[in-house]
Amino acid sequence: MLGSHEATMQWSVPGLLGGAALAEVLGHPVDENATGLEVVPYEFGSPATGCLLRARGRRPDGHEWTAFVKVLQHVRHWPMLQFMPPHLAADFVEIFPWREELTLWDTQTTSHLPPGLRPPHLYRIVELGDDRVAVWCEDVDFEDDPWNDGRFARAADLLGQFGARRCHPDVTSPYPPDFAMQKWVQSLPIRALGPLQDDTVWGHPLLADHADLRAELLAAAPLIPQVMARFATLRHGLPHGDASPQNLLVPRDGSADFVVIDLSFQTPAPLGTDLSQLVVGLAHAGQLPVERLPSVEAAVLSGYRAGLAGTDLPPGDDDIEYAYAGNLLLRSGFTAIPYERLADPEAGPLIRERIALTRFILGSARAHLS
């Protein structure tokens, strides 16, 4: 990720406007001499995110304004691409849908959002050339207080309503069902299953006392094709794709329960798959203790069922708990432990927390994957 100085050197307000006037993009007058950019820190990992910026300034009357600017990029610009095996990198460059976050403002998304969910106000999508776009949108002023079980349940309720609405035939995708998860699963042998079979890795002092966890992960690996096969039998719709609490902002102005951001994995998936990131997203980021996850899981599963019950979705083949736990296992169970950090003398607390997270995920798999 670019540092603050590098990012602000690379981008300027005029450079992000594609020749348009700033006032035209924002929809209000601006003092052209009182504008600037600052970098918004984020966890580096999304290949399509080139930079996050906040533009700010004053109107001629002295009132301040801000806007959020996200630069999306083709994955050929992603610095980490060079570390992928060449055959995987080539496939990744060819198929990764780097513009899919823009579907947040498509009518097939916005028209299916239930009351209580809304996207940020979009000012403009600016084509920057060289397979980059700048998304100018509302700089959401959101609550940063800790999530309680009630908020988790409300988020799950609304995701249930959203998922049900996007199960209908008018919601389409250019990809076949479970395409995104199939691509994810294809990466697991190198990203996760290889280290799992390495005696040297599991002989590290931070892992040596967890032979039982390693054995359970190895026993769970054969479940991967079984889960994918079961997914194929369940009712599908378009999910949010990364419905972690970090992507469900609680606006201070009360304009919605949540402002939805960062759609991803926009391929048909079973109802309930969105819940895995909702449950573990904060714990994975180190912002929620793992011991809270059982109560969060219960609140989320109950809330999602309540959301589905309030829709006109007809009876069909779905198993919310299976879709949740299966997606959780495949997406996070084998990758939660950051093996690449084992050599870092300061990574002990992180690795111990991720070990606990992995145990929770395996417990959910035992409970729901039957």
Side-chain angles (χ1 to χ4, degrees):
M1 183 176 65
L2 291 173
S4 175
H5 176 71
E6 293 172 304
T8 51
M9 288 292 289
Q10 179 179 10
W11 300 110
S12 65
V13 171
L16 292 164
L17 291 170
L22 180 59
E24 178 188 351
V25 169
L26 297 178
H28 61 70
V30 298
D31 180 350
E32 297 283 357
N33 297 316
T35 62
L37 288 175
E38 62 186 46
V39 174
V40 178
Y42 69 101
E43 286 292 328
F44 181 59
S46 171
T49 300
C51 199
L52 303 182
L53 301 160
R54 178 172 288 107
R56 61 170 70 247
R58 292 194 305 268
R59 303 189 187 202
D61 62 7
H63 285 86
E64 295 184 352
W65 60 265
T66 64
F68 189 80
V69 187
K70 184 170 190 174
V71 177
L72 296 176
Q73 63 183 12
H74 193 287
V75 296
R76 63 186 174 83
H77 297 299
W78 188 39
M80 302 303 292
L81 190 66
Q82 61 184 312
F83 299 111
M84 294 180 67
H87 69 287
L88 291 181
D91 184 54
F92 195 58
V93 168
E94 180 179 356
I95 64 122
F96 191 88
W98 65 277
R99 298 174 67 99
E100 75 176 351
E101 287 186 35
L102 303 181
T103 63
L104 178 59
W105 293 280
D106 285 353
T107 55
Q108 90 163 358
T109 300
T110 57
S111 64
H112 291 89
L113 286 169
L117 293 181
R118 71 169 180 88
H121 175 69
L122 177 66
Y123 298 125
R124 183 166 297 190
I125 296 169
V126 179
E127 300 290 340
L128 301 175
D130 197 26
D131 287 331
R132 289 186 172 96
V133 299
V135 182
W136 286 77
C137 65
E138 171 189 3
D139 184 19
V140 180
D141 182 21
F142 60 92
E143 303 281 354
D144 58 2
D145 56 312
W147 280 47
N148 56 31
D149 286 358
R151 182 175 289 175
F152 276 108
R154 178 57 177 161
D157 183 324
L158 291 171
L159 287 171
Q161 295 180 51
F162 184 47
R165 292 171 178 223
R166 300 228 290 173
C167 281
H168 293 290
D170 64 327
V171 180
T172 61
S173 169
Y175 300 100
D178 301 315
F179 178 79
M181 184 53 69
Q182 288 166 1
K183 289 298 180 181
W184 177 270
V185 164
Q186 288 172 10
S187 74
L188 287 179
I190 292 176
R191 299 178 66 245
L193 301 185
L196 185 59
Q197 297 168 351
D198 190 324
D199 291 340
T200 301
V201 169
W202 282 85
H204 188 280
L206 288 170
L207 297 178
D209 291 337
H210 299 281
D212 64 319
L213 179 63
R214 181 190 185 190
E216 190 168 0
L217 284 169
L218 287 168
L223 292 177
I224 294 173
Q226 297 177 34
V227 171
M228 294 301 297
R230 178 72 178 276
F231 275 9
T233 70
L234 303 179
R235 192 203 310 258
H236 282 59
L238 278 187
H240 176 287
D242 191 13
S244 65
Q246 296 94 319
N247 293 333
L248 297 167
L249 310 179
V250 181
R252 293 185 192 276
D253 63 7
S255 57
D257 290 285
F258 303 97
V259 177
V260 182
I261 63 172
D262 291 1
L263 290 188
S264 64
F265 279 68
Q266 291 296 285
T267 66
L271 279 175
T273 52
D274 266 338
L275 301 183
S276 64
Q277 293 304 103
L278 182 61
V279 170
V280 303
L282 289 177
H284 194 272
Q287 299 173 22
L288 186 77
V290 172
E291 54 263 28
R292 274 203 55 200
L293 293 184
S295 66
V296 169
E297 179 184 82
V300 160
L301 290 172
S302 175
Y304 196 83
R305 285 286 187 189
L308 291 181
T311 71
D312 61 357
L313 191 69
D317 294 327
D318 54 51
D319 187 328
I320 304 308
E321 289 77 11
Y322 191 97
Y324 151 70
N327 197 64
L328 181 61
L329 177 65
L330 269 53
R331 187 161 174 177
S332 301
F334 299 103
T335 58
I337 298 173
Y339 299 108
E340 72 280 1
R341 297 289 303 277
L342 286 171
D344 182 350
E346 298 182 357
L350 168 65
I351 292 171
R352 283 188 284 271
E353 191 71 5
R354 293 293 186 83
I355 288 170
L357 177 59
T358 303
R359 290 187 182 279
F360 167 79
I361 293 169
L362 289 170
S364 290
R366 288 194 301 272
H368 300 299
L369 299 185
S370 58

